[in-house]
Amino acid sequence: MSTNVETLEFQAEARQLLDLMVHSVYSNKDIFLRELISNASDALDKLRLVALIDKDLAVDTSDLHIDVEPDKERRTLTVRDNGIGMSRDEVVTLIGTIAKSGTADLLRRMKESNDAAVAKDLIGQFGVGFYSTFMVSDRVTLVTRRAGEEVGTCWESQGEGTYTIEPVEDAPQGTTVTVHLKPADEEDRLFDYTEERKIREVVKRYSNFIAWPIRMMTESADTEGETQLEVVTLNSMKALWARPRAEVKDDEYKEFYKHISHDWNDPLEIIQMKAEGAFEYEALLFLPPHAPYDLFSRDSHSGVHLYVKRVFIMDDCRELMPPYLRFVKGVVDAQDLSLNMSREILQQDRQIQLMRRRLAKKVLATVRDMMAQDPDRYGAFWREFGHVVKEGLLDDPDNQGAILDISSFASTRHDEDLTTLQEYVQRMKEGQEEIYFATGGSRSTVENSPHMEAFQEGGYEVLLLTDPVDAIWVDRVPEFEGKRLQSIAKGELDIAGKDGEKADESQREQQEKEFAPLLSWLAETLKEQVKEVRLSSRLTASPACLVTDLHDMSPTLENVYRAMGQQGPRAKRILEVNPAHQLVTELRAAHEERAGDESLAEVAELLYGAAVLAEGGDLQDSARFARLLAGRLARAV
C-alpha cells in the first residue's frame, strides 16, 4: 500500500446521509446513474467554459464526452468524463462534506419517513447526487485530475463513515467513478447495471437531452455472425430549448425538467420563449408542481441555468429571475453576452436586466392564462407558490398590477375556494367603496375576531389574509380598480347593518354624550395600554375590541417584523366598546353610582384583556389576568 494513503472521516451529516442511503427503502435505484451522468456533464460544461476564457490552459476540448463502461465479470459500472476534474482539496470538500443548506432537515424528514414514495421524493428533491451510488454498491472508487494539474487523486469508500485518499501520478484529465455493484440477487434482477439494455433504458429516460455524447462499447454481430465491438452514442444531444415546441415530445420536456430540478414529478407548466432582434436569447422555463424545501432559505438556489451560445455559464443565475419567482426552473441561452460573466457583472448588465423583466412578464402571463383556461391547475400552483408570488407586490412595482390580477385570497364568502380581487369587486354591495380585508395568523382566528361582527351582520364580504407577507403588502397597495383596500381592524368604520341602513347620526351623538364619562374614565384607567377609548360601530356581540389607528402598524405586521429580528415598541391601540352590550351598560351604571370604587378598575382590566384574547393576541401579564378573572368568578358564584 502507498505510504501516501490517508484515511479520513466524513463530515457528521454526510455520515448520516450515507447510512440512510445504504439502508434506504427507496426502490428506484436508477437515480445513481442519472446523477453520475449529470455530474459528468457539468464537468464538461465547466471545462469548455474555462478553456474559452483561459487561453493559456493546455487542454484538449475537441472530443469532450462521457463513457459508460459495464463489466459483468467484476460487477462494476464506470462513468468517465474528460472534463474539468477535481483537485485533492476539491475532492475532500465536495465529497467528504455536504455543503448544502437544509441537509439537517433532509435527514430529519428521511428518518421520520418509512414510506418508499416519500423517500423517493426526498432523494430526488434534495439532489443527493454522488451519495446515491451507495444504494447499489459495496464500494465506490473515484479517480480524478483537474485540468492544468499534473497529479491526480484517488478517492475510495465503502460508505461506512470513512474514506481513503491518495495521489495518482498517471491519472487522466477528468473524473472516473467506478461503482462496485452489490452481488446480484432475485430482488435486484431488474436493476442489473452491467446489462446493456438497462443502461440504455436509464440513459434514454433521464439523460437523452444532455449536450455531450454518452458513449458505450457494445458487442454486435457482423453479416458473417462474427462478434465485434462497436462504440455507440446513447443520447440524442439535442438542446430542447433550441427546438420548436411542435418538434419536441412532452416526455422530453418532462425529463429535461427532472434533470435540471432533481424532481421526480412532472412540471406543472412548460414555458418556452424566443427573443429576436437587437438582443437575442432563448428560454425554456418550468413551473414546478411543488414548492422546493429551501424556498424560504437564504441560500436557496434559483434553478435557472445561464448559457451563452450553448456554453454553460452557471446553474444558479439569480439575476435572471426576481426573488418572488425564485421557484422557476429552466434554461436561458443568450447570444450576445460575454462568456466571462461574474456575479458583479451580471448585476449591472443592461441585457440581463432586460431579460429579467421579460422573463418575469412571461411567467406572470402564463399563470394568468392558466388561471383562465385551467382553474384546477392554477389552484394547485397558487396553493404552492401564492405566498411567494405576493412578495412581488413589495419588490416589483412595474408588475404590481399583473401580480394582483393573478392573486387569489380566502374570503368569508367561500369556505374552501379562493377569490380574485376582480371577482370580489364584481360582488361588492351597492354603495360599497372599499375592499375589506382582515389579517391574522389563521383563518379561524380572523373569522372569529370581534372586528368581523358588523361585517357579518351587514353581509359584507371580507378577504382573509393569513400569510405573513399579507400584513406587509396591503400597506403598499392602496387600491384595486379604484376601490380602496380597507382593514376591518383599522380606523373608524361606518357601514350599514343587516337592514341596509347606517346608524342614525343623532342617536350616535346622544350615545356618545351618555357614555362620555365612562369613556374618559376607561381611557385614564387603561392609559398604559391604550391611546384612546371610543364607542364602536363594528361590534354586535362582543363587549369590546382593539383597533389600530389608520396610520399605525397592525399587530400582525409588528409580529412579522419581530420574527425578522426587528424589535421596537408596540404601538398603543384604540379600545372600542359596544354600547349595546350588557357588560358595558352595567359598567356604565356602576361607574355613575360609585366612580371611586377601585374594584371597577379590575373590570376595566378584564375588559381590555378579553379584547386582546378575542383577536388572538397575547397578554403582557396573563397571570394577573387569570387572578382577576378567578376573583370575579368567585364573587359571582
Side-chain angles (χ1 to χ4, degrees):
M1 179 179 288
S2 169
T3 57
N4 292 322
V5 176
E6 297 179 74
T7 300
L8 304 175
E9 290 190 357
F10 285 101
Q11 174 243 18
E13 289 182 340
R15 290 200 306 272
Q16 296 177 50
L17 183 54
L18 282 169
D19 182 67
L20 285 169
M21 297 303 290
V22 172
H23 301 95
S24 174
V25 295
Y26 177 60
S27 59
N28 190 348
K29 297 178 173 64
D30 295 350
I31 185 177
F32 92 93
L33 182 52
R34 184 193 73 174
E35 292 296 332
L36 289 183
I37 291 174
S38 295
N39 291 344
S41 175
D42 290 343
L44 296 172
D45 287 335
K46 292 173 183 175
L47 178 65
R48 184 181 179 193
L49 176 61
V50 170
L52 287 169
I53 294 174
D54 186 357
K55 301 300 182 183
D56 296 329
L57 185 64
V59 292
D60 182 6
T61 60
S62 61
D63 185 29
L64 298 179
H65 64 278
I66 302 167
D67 287 321
V68 179
E69 300 176 4
D71 188 323
K72 281 184 173 293
E73 293 184 2
R74 297 173 55 216
R75 278 201 59 76
T76 63
L77 180 66
T78 299
V79 177
R80 177 183 295 108
D81 68 74
N82 56 345
I84 190 70
M86 290 180 283
S87 66
R88 179 195 181 282
D89 289 344
E90 287 173 327
V91 171
V92 173
T93 300
L94 296 175
I95 300 179
T97 64
I98 302 179
K100 282 195 174 185
S101 172
T103 301
D105 184 56
L106 162 64
L107 295 170
R108 178 184 58 78
R109 293 171 63 186
M110 289 183 71
K111 286 178 179 178
E112 292 173 356
S113 172
N114 292 318
D115 181 75
V118 175
K120 175 192 73 174
D121 290 342
L122 285 173
I123 292 171
Q125 179 182 7
F126 283 82
V128 295
F130 181 81
Y131 294 93
S132 61
T133 55
F134 289 99
M135 292 189 295
V136 298
S137 69
D138 292 321
R139 176 165 51 99
V140 177
T141 304
L142 177 147
V143 176
T144 184
R145 178 171 66 83
R146 185 171 181 81
E149 296 187 358
E150 296 182 358
V151 179
T153 302
C154 177
W155 177 99
E156 189 169 272
S157 177
Q158 296 180 352
E160 295 178 349
T162 63
Y163 60 90
T164 62
I165 192 165
E166 64 179 307
V168 179
E169 296 293 337
D170 57 350
Q173 174 194 298
T175 300
T176 300
V177 179
T178 300
V179 180
H180 301 263
L181 298 166
K182 295 177 181 179
D185 55 30
E186 187 65 20
E187 180 183 353
D188 284 344
R189 66 186 186 279
L190 298 178
F191 302 102
D192 188 350
Y193 297 102
T194 63
E195 291 284 349
E196 177 184 326
R197 175 193 56 79
K198 180 61 178 177
I199 294 171
R200 285 180 179 272
E201 173 195 323
V202 174
V203 171
K204 183 176 181 180
R205 183 176 183 185
Y206 299 115
S207 307
N208 192 47
F209 42 77
I210 282 179
W212 306 106
I214 303 171
R215 299 171 182 168
M216 182 172 65
M217 185 79 73
T218 64
E219 293 183 353
S220 62
D222 59 18
T223 55
E224 298 179 356
E226 295 291 332
T227 300
Q228 61 181 13
L229 296 178
E230 178 187 11
V231 176
V232 296
T233 299
L234 304 178
N235 60 323
S236 67
M237 298 180 291
K238 295 179 181 179
L240 262 63
W241 60 87
R243 296 163 59 188
R245 181 79 180 259
E247 296 180 6
V248 183
K249 296 179 180 179
D250 283 348
D251 286 345
E252 292 181 274
Y253 282 127
K254 292 174 182 177
E255 292 310 325
F256 184 74
Y257 163 75
K258 293 173 184 178
H259 165 66
I260 62 174
S261 67
H262 297 286
D263 188 353
W264 280 88
N265 300 291
D266 293 337
L268 187 66
E269 185 63 55
I270 302 166
I271 306 170
Q272 191 166 5
M273 62 184 295
K274 183 175 183 179
E276 298 179 330
F279 180 51
E280 298 183 359
Y281 63 90
E282 297 166 314
L284 178 58
L285 306 176
F286 301 92
L287 300 183
H290 303 294
Y293 77 100
D294 61 351
L295 187 60
F296 291 101
S297 170
R298 183 174 298 177
D299 300 322
S300 64
H301 288 251
S302 71
V304 178
H305 298 196
L306 175 63
Y307 284 71
V308 175
K309 297 178 181 177
R310 307 292 188 271
V311 177
F312 171 80
I313 303 298
M314 64 183 68
D315 62 359
D316 180 27
C317 191
R318 305 185 184 197
E319 291 73 18
L320 283 172
M321 202 63 65
Y324 68 92
L325 297 177
R326 57 187 176 272
F327 52 85
V328 175
K329 309 294 183 183
V331 167
V332 175
D333 190 353
Q335 300 299 309
D336 304 307
L337 293 176
S338 167
L339 290 172
N340 192 12
M341 295 291 288
S342 67
R343 291 286 185 191
E344 293 73 18
I345 295 175
L346 283 172
Q347 292 169 3
Q348 303 298 325
D349 190 88
R350 186 187 66 84
Q351 293 178 336
I352 289 287
Q353 294 173 2
L354 179 61
M355 275 197 294
R356 175 188 174 113
R357 289 196 293 270
R358 290 179 177 175
L359 292 171
K361 288 183 181 297
K362 180 65 174 179
V363 171
L364 295 176
T366 300
V367 175
R368 185 186 63 234
D369 293 342
M370 188 194 307
M371 190 181 200
Q373 299 166 10
D374 194 337
D376 289 340
R377 252 184 341 132
Y378 161 78
F381 166 82
W382 193 254
R383 284 191 296 273
E384 293 291 324
F385 302 108
H387 49 305
V388 182
V389 173
K390 286 184 288 187
E391 293 176 9
L393 295 171
L394 308 172
D395 304 331
D396 191 355
D398 292 339
N399 285 315
Q400 192 177 83
I403 296 171
L404 285 175
D405 286 339
I406 66 168
S407 296
S408 294
F409 311 95
S411 87
T412 53
R413 185 63 60 89
H414 302 285
D415 290 334
E416 296 183 1
D417 294 338
L418 303 180
T419 184
T420 65
L421 292 178
Q422 180 65 52
E423 292 168 339
Y424 180 100
V425 169
Q426 293 172 353
R427 292 193 298 265
M428 285 173 61
K429 294 167 65 75
E430 184 177 353
Q432 181 181 343
E433 294 299 326
E434 291 88 13
I435 297 173
Y436 296 119
F437 70 85
T439 60
S442 67
R443 176 171 184 142
S444 61
T445 299
V446 175
E447 281 187 312
N448 295 316
S449 168
H451 305 107
M452 196 72 73
E453 293 173 359
F455 294 88
Q456 291 172 331
E457 184 177 87
Y460 290 90
E461 183 176 4
V462 178
L463 300 178
L464 308 175
L465 309 181
T466 56
D467 289 333
V469 70
D470 291 332
I472 306 175
W473 73 258
V474 290
D475 286 337
R476 309 277 184 90
V477 180
E479 64 173 29
F480 177 79
E481 294 191 354
K483 304 295 184 180
R484 185 169 65 91
L485 273 72
Q486 173 64 54
S487 169
I488 66 169
K490 266 195 171 187
E492 293 194 70
L493 297 178
D494 186 19
I495 60 174
K498 59 184 177 181
D499 56 1
E501 297 292 331
K502 294 186 177 181
D504 181 77
E505 190 64 31
S506 60
Q507 181 183 359
R508 177 76 176 185
E509 292 177 356
Q510 180 62 31
Q511 274 188 335
E512 289 180 349
K513 184 177 180 181
E514 294 173 353
F515 280 85
L518 175 65
L519 299 181
S520 297
W521 172 76
L522 284 172
E524 177 61 26
T525 304
L526 300 172
K527 62 182 178 182
E528 297 299 323
Q529 290 84 23
V530 302
K531 66 189 301 183
E532 180 185 347
V533 181
R534 67 190 183 203
L535 295 183
S536 179
S537 60
R538 69 188 91 211
L539 295 175
T540 60
S542 299
C545 70
L546 289 167
V547 177
T548 304
D549 215 350
L550 193 58
H551 300 293
D552 286 346
M553 191 181 297
S554 69
T556 306
L557 184 54
E558 285 182 348
N559 291 334
V560 170
Y561 283 127
R562 288 178 186 276
M564 295 164 56
Q566 300 182 26
Q567 302 294 331
R570 292 190 179 275
K572 289 184 179 181
R573 301 172 67 199
I574 299 167
L575 179 68
E576 288 191 353
V577 296
N578 181 1
H581 194 280
Q582 182 179 359
L583 174 59
V584 177
T585 57
E586 292 288 347
L587 182 58
R588 173 192 160 203
H591 177 259
E592 289 177 350
E593 292 179 3
R594 51 185 199 278
D597 190 341
E598 293 184 1
S599 66
L600 294 182
E602 294 182 356
V603 179
E605 281 193 61
L606 290 172
L607 184 67
Y608 168 77
V612 173
L613 294 176
E615 65 176 16
D618 296 322
L619 294 170
Q620 289 186 342
D621 191 347
S622 56
R624 175 174 172 77
F625 180 84
R627 287 196 302 271
L628 293 177
L629 181 60
R632 283 283 158 182
L633 290 175
R635 287 193 287 274
V637 172

